[in-house]
Amino acid sequence: MSNIHADPATNGTTFGKATVTVDQIAGDCVVHAPRPGPVMPVMRSTRFHSLDEIHGAYQVQSGLATTDPIAADVARALKFAGQQLKAHQKVRGQ
């Protein structure tokens, strides 16, 4: 895991209860968000390795957003990460 992802409080962008870190050089992102646990919510980190994975996860989370407010936060974080990576790829000419 890169240094960017190791410290989401410093390097991340927060959307409600979800925080996303974007590593533009590696072309990936990690979303940190609370999920229901057996006793209390627990923080969960999920890594997305490509724009295709981010796009697929965004579609799922935006569908869940009508009933789950944290899913709405995760969807906004994924949208942001996708935009950041897409902009970086355009600059690099890929």
Side-chain angles (χ1 to χ4, degrees):
M1 190 177 281
S2 74
N3 290 337
I4 292 171
H5 301 312
D7 188 10
T10 302
N11 301 316
T13 303
T14 302
F15 299 89
K17 293 188 177 187
T19 302
V20 63
T21 54
V22 181
D23 187 343
Q24 294 178 346
I25 295 170
D28 67 355
C29 75
V30 175
V31 176
H32 309 268
R35 298 310 309 160
V39 177
M40 60 185 285
V42 293
M43 287 302 288
R44 180 173 177 199
S45 299
T46 306
R47 185 180 206 138
F48 299 96
H49 299 277
S50 68
L51 279 172
D52 290 336
E53 285 185 4
I54 293 169
H55 180 70
Y58 170 77
Q59 288 180 326
V60 170
Q61 293 300 314
S62 63
L64 295 171
T66 57
T67 59
D68 184 359
I70 295 176
D73 296 339
V74 172
R76 290 194 334 253
L78 289 167
K79 182 177 180 180
F80 172 79
Q83 290 170 343
Q84 293 292 309
L85 291 175
K86 207 178 272 189
H88 182 65
Q89 286 181 354
K90 283 184 183 179
V91 169
R92 290 183 58 205
Q94 293 180 345

